[in-house]
Amino acid sequence: MDYQNKLILAPMVRVGTLPFRLLAADYGADITYGEEIIDHKFVKCVRRINESLGSIDFVDKGTENVVFRTCQEERDRVVFQIGTSDAVRALTAAQKVCNDVAAIDINMGCPKAFSISGGMGAALLSKPELIHDILTTLKRNLNTPVTCKIRLLKSPHDTVELARRIEKTGVSALAVHGRKVEDRPRDPARWNEITDVVAALSIPVIVNGDVFEYEDFQRIKEATGASSVMVARGALWNASIFSPEGKLPWEEVKREYVRKSFIWDNCIKSTKHTLREMISHYSSLELPEGKAVIKSDTLADLAEYYGVR
């Protein structure tokens, strides 16, 4: 994996499934992160080839639910992100999927209660020894590139020190979300603090935070010196943000997402969640479209409503 000058789709829970990753790639994303998958869940999965779809499915043995779906088309750009608090369990999960993805990433930035309560996500930021254990264990045992994604710590100095410790584990790149755990999405990203991290490291640094237009990619790179730029909300609202020709109308992007979800038999709950997020940004769920999405029970219902097949 080359992490220089890349436009990257950030990991987003319930959004970063195969259809959305392929959608982003079609519009110009160079690297696409899947949604965070918890190691406890993934170690119970079995790998299956889905002949009807042409996909590789990792299925929960107990429920038969697809936990992670990928395909050969995205093999060289998809990153599998793991939520973990244990090196051995993280390795077990990574070994299941490492031959089907381009890289393995460890989530060290999620501030949600379910992650932190399990010692995962941002909870790892205060445990540098555990971070070292997880990353070095993966690096020693995998040929696949290993990265991680963090948030800013209490002080710029603390962030830089942690980033240096992470670099020493041999990871291929480090993604930094320009907000602290207590910050909310409406708070501006602190690009100046990411600049300090970039200056301190020799590995590629991926900057994440406040990318809403294609022009922001270059603007943030120049402001921080980062190697590459990652976008979350801006891509969720309109995945064509990756296109140098400019954004397409969101109605067109939305229909293409529904089409891909139908083709790849995406989870209906995930598809509806993503559509609701798109609609809420531009419109209202109380209008006819929002109500139609909410009451849809199947992908076929959504495909019929949006007129796609």
Side-chain angles (χ1 to χ4, degrees):
M1 281 278 275
D2 178 9
Y3 292 94
Q4 298 290 341
N5 299 312
K6 301 302 181 185
L7 309 184
I8 303 174
L9 176 69
M12 290 182 278
V13 173
R14 299 175 70 187
V15 174
T17 53
L18 179 59
F20 197 85
R21 298 195 303 268
L22 293 177
L23 183 73
D26 282 352
Y27 292 129
D30 301 301
I31 299 172
T32 56
Y33 280 59
E35 61 174 332
E36 176 194 30
I37 306 291
I38 305 303
D39 57 4
H40 282 287
K41 188 171 188 177
F42 200 70
V43 295
K44 300 174 185 176
C45 290
V46 292
R47 180 184 184 273
R48 293 180 183 165
I49 301 297
N50 189 323
E51 299 288 354
S52 62
L53 294 180
S55 64
I56 301 162
D57 296 349
F58 292 84
V59 180
D60 186 294
K61 284 187 290 187
T63 64
E64 292 298 303
N65 291 333
V66 176
V67 175
F68 179 71
R69 172 169 286 159
T70 185
C71 65
Q72 190 59 37
E73 182 183 338
E74 66 169 5
R75 169 65 180 80
D76 294 331
R77 64 170 175 268
V78 63
V79 178
F80 185 82
Q81 190 184 64
I82 302 173
T84 188
S85 60
D86 180 85
V88 174
R89 205 164 52 240
L91 177 60
T92 302
Q95 286 174 326
K96 280 181 176 284
V97 73
C98 63
N99 293 324
D100 296 305
V101 298
I104 300 292
D105 184 80
I106 300 299
N107 183 348
M108 300 182 181
C110 180
K112 299 291 179 64
F114 82 88
S115 272
I116 292 178
S117 63
M120 303 176 292
L124 290 173
L125 296 175
S126 60
K127 301 175 182 178
E129 293 81 10
L130 180 54
I131 287 176
H132 181 271
D133 188 25
I134 292 170
L135 295 177
T136 54
T137 297
L138 294 181
K139 282 295 299 177
R140 280 197 305 265
N141 294 281
L142 299 176
N143 291 323
T144 309
V146 175
T147 62
C148 66
K149 184 171 184 284
I150 67 171
R151 281 184 174 241
L152 299 175
L153 275 66
K154 295 292 184 182
S155 73
H157 173 78
D158 291 342
T159 306
V160 168
E161 286 305 302
L162 178 63
R164 283 176 169 154
R165 293 193 66 162
I166 289 171
E167 181 179 39
K168 289 178 181 178
T169 67
V171 294
S172 298
L174 172 66
V176 185
H177 187 153
R179 292 183 175 86
K180 300 179 181 179
V181 173
E182 63 271 17
D183 289 341
R184 300 277 65 86
R186 64 178 177 273
D187 297 321
R190 305 166 194 255
W191 296 345
N192 60 313
E193 294 188 31
I194 296 179
T195 303
D196 297 336
V197 175
V198 174
L201 303 188
S202 58
I203 60 172
V205 174
I206 302 164
V207 59
N208 175 214
D210 290 353
V211 180
F212 301 114
E213 303 293 339
Y214 182 83
E215 292 72 25
D216 291 337
F217 287 115
Q218 188 61 33
R219 188 162 62 90
I220 294 172
K221 273 192 67 180
E222 291 175 355
T224 62
S227 300
S228 294
V229 182
M230 174 182 281
V231 56
R233 288 178 297 159
L236 169 59
W237 296 334
N238 191 325
S240 64
I241 189 175
F242 293 104
S243 172
E245 285 78 38
K247 288 181 188 175
L248 295 171
W250 75 288
E251 291 86 355
E252 181 177 335
V253 174
K254 192 170 44 181
R255 283 194 298 273
E256 181 59 17
Y257 170 68
V258 172
R259 190 183 73 83
K260 280 182 162 55
S261 293
F262 184 78
I263 290 172
W264 292 101
D265 192 26
N266 196 44
C267 168
I268 182 63
K269 290 183 179 179
S270 165
T271 304
K272 288 173 64 172
H273 169 79
T274 302
L275 285 171
R276 288 196 302 267
E277 291 294 315
M278 291 178 180
I279 294 167
S280 296
H281 179 66
Y282 290 100
S283 180
S284 169
L285 292 173
E286 297 302 316
L287 294 176
E289 181 188 9
K291 292 180 178 179
V293 168
I294 290 170
K295 75 176 185 179
S296 293
D297 295 322
T298 66
L299 292 171
D301 291 339
L302 290 173
E304 182 178 359
Y305 179 79
Y306 284 102
V308 299
R309 283 295 178 186

